[in-house]
Amino acid sequence: MWNQSRTARLHIVVKVKANAVAYERPAVRKKGRGRPPKKGQMVKLIELFHNRAAEFRTATVTMYGKEETVKFLCLDLLWGQGLYQELRFVLVRRGDQLSILASTDLTLAAEDIIRLSGYRFKIECTFREMKQVIGAFGYRFWSKSMPKLKRYLRKGEPHPLEQVTDETDRQRIRLTLQAIEGFVMCSCIATGLVQLIALRFSERVPDLFFRYLRTPSKTIVSEATVTVYLRKSIFRLFAQNLHLSITKIIHSKQDTSFVDADLSAS
């Protein structure tokens, strides 16, 4: 998204822990000495389901591909120890299930925040397929110039990357990060291609159902089934489709001299 200064800014929607606390805005400062307060009264979010139950509104939103009737309460509160950034909190009651959502976008409607949170399951499934099927995060790129990173830094401690001053080492680190990002990007493209094959050719290619599945799908096969099929059949598909650009590139890179020698000897 873009802000008023035309610079890119990313907004997120997350699910908040049940024991999370937030803070009201500080009261108007009174005249006198002392530093102005950064926060107001502490609010235990989980208690609002009972203390302010009468203020909940009812709405019908799309969640997980179907219409759901939920009750919600939307509040703008401060969050974060020492940071006190204003977030939009949405308390959602769906039957007996209680959820607390938060968004960094204060202009987003509560119904939209609830709807966006429903995409979490699809996103998590995509990451699972990328990790377990495609191997998107199995990269092996490293550099001796890369310093050992720390999970937590002490207050005032500089970041290890900031301590790298040699330009050659800095360039090697940049190339390493570019290789990692390129690998993950290609894996994302591969995941999308596998999903497109599953969506478009599940009914046209019965061979996609060749492997044993305890609970086989009658409509669309999984990404894992498509990848197994491609591993077993991709070279045969190349041989049957010599007009493809990828097939021509492979043929141009092959060294066939030893094949000709074997044919002459026979």
Side-chain angles (χ1 to χ4, degrees):
M1 301 183 66
W2 300 87
N3 55 21
Q4 295 180 353
S5 61
R6 300 302 299 169
T7 57
R9 183 177 181 183
L10 178 66
H11 289 288
I12 60 174
V13 174
V14 297
K15 187 175 182 180
V16 181
K17 292 183 178 180
N19 60 351
V21 297
Y23 302 91
E24 296 179 352
R25 295 186 184 90
V28 179
R29 182 186 179 186
K30 299 180 180 180
K31 294 183 179 180
R33 294 183 177 182
R35 186 178 62 180
K38 295 183 179 180
K39 61 179 180 178
Q41 186 177 1
M42 184 180 69
V43 178
K44 294 183 179 180
L45 298 174
I46 194 64
E47 295 181 356
L48 298 179
F49 284 100
H50 305 285
N51 300 339
R52 302 179 63 172
E55 301 179 31
F56 276 67
R57 296 167 50 193
T58 303
T60 302
V61 296
T62 303
M63 296 184 64
Y64 307 109
K66 59 181 180 180
E67 298 292 328
E68 294 278 356
T69 300
V70 299
K71 294 183 178 181
F72 68 90
L73 175 66
C74 183
L75 298 169
D76 292 343
L77 299 170
L78 304 180
W79 178 84
Q81 290 291 339
L83 179 63
Y84 306 122
Q85 178 182 355
E86 190 172 17
L87 301 179
R88 174 153 293 182
F89 291 91
V90 181
L91 286 72
V92 184
R93 181 188 295 273
R94 185 162 64 103
D96 296 332
Q97 298 181 3
L98 305 179
S99 301
I100 304 175
L101 307 175
S103 171
T104 56
D105 189 354
L106 301 180
T107 64
L108 206 58
E111 293 87 342
D112 293 332
I113 295 176
I114 298 173
R115 177 178 54 83
L116 291 173
S117 68
Y119 294 136
R120 179 176 59 89
F121 182 76
K122 295 182 179 180
I123 296 173
E124 291 178 353
C125 288
T126 301
F127 274 110
R128 183 194 63 188
E129 298 301 324
M130 289 179 60
K131 176 185 176 182
Q132 299 182 1
V133 178
I134 306 298
F137 307 108
Y139 47 81
R140 294 293 184 270
F141 304 109
W142 196 249
S143 173
K144 292 183 179 180
S145 301
M146 179 79 73
K148 184 177 180 180
L149 303 180
K150 298 181 180 180
R151 184 180 295 271
Y152 302 104
L153 295 176
R154 296 179 180 178
K155 186 176 181 180
E157 182 181 2
H159 195 278
L161 290 176
E162 297 177 355
Q163 302 179 24
V164 180
T165 57
D166 186 76
E167 185 58 32
T168 302
D169 291 336
R170 295 171 68 91
Q171 179 63 17
R172 289 174 178 171
I173 294 174
R174 283 193 290 266
L175 292 176
T176 302
L177 295 178
Q178 289 177 6
I180 294 174
E181 293 175 354
F183 183 89
V184 176
M185 181 191 67
C186 292
S187 300
C188 292
I189 296 174
T191 304
L193 292 175
V194 168
Q195 291 175 343
L196 286 175
I197 293 173
L199 290 172
R200 296 188 60 182
F201 300 105
S202 289
E203 297 180 356
R204 295 178 55 184
V205 185
D207 293 339
L208 287 178
F209 297 93
F210 71 96
R211 68 175 189 153
Y212 170 76
L213 297 174
R214 185 174 62 180
T215 55
S217 173
K218 297 181 180 180
T219 54
I220 300 175
V221 299
S222 65
E223 294 92 334
T225 299
V226 175
T227 54
V228 172
Y229 171 78
L230 290 176
R231 290 192 191 104
K232 293 180 176 293
S233 308
I234 191 167
F235 294 107
R236 175 176 57 83
L237 296 175
F238 285 159
Q240 294 175 351
N241 298 273
L242 300 177
H243 63 283
L244 296 177
S245 299
I246 184 63
T247 307
K248 295 179 181 179
I249 294 174
I250 293 174
H251 278 300
S252 65
K253 301 295 183 180
Q254 287 179 330
D255 182 10
T256 59
S257 58
F258 66 93
V259 178
D260 297 335
D262 290 341
L263 292 176
S264 300
S266 60

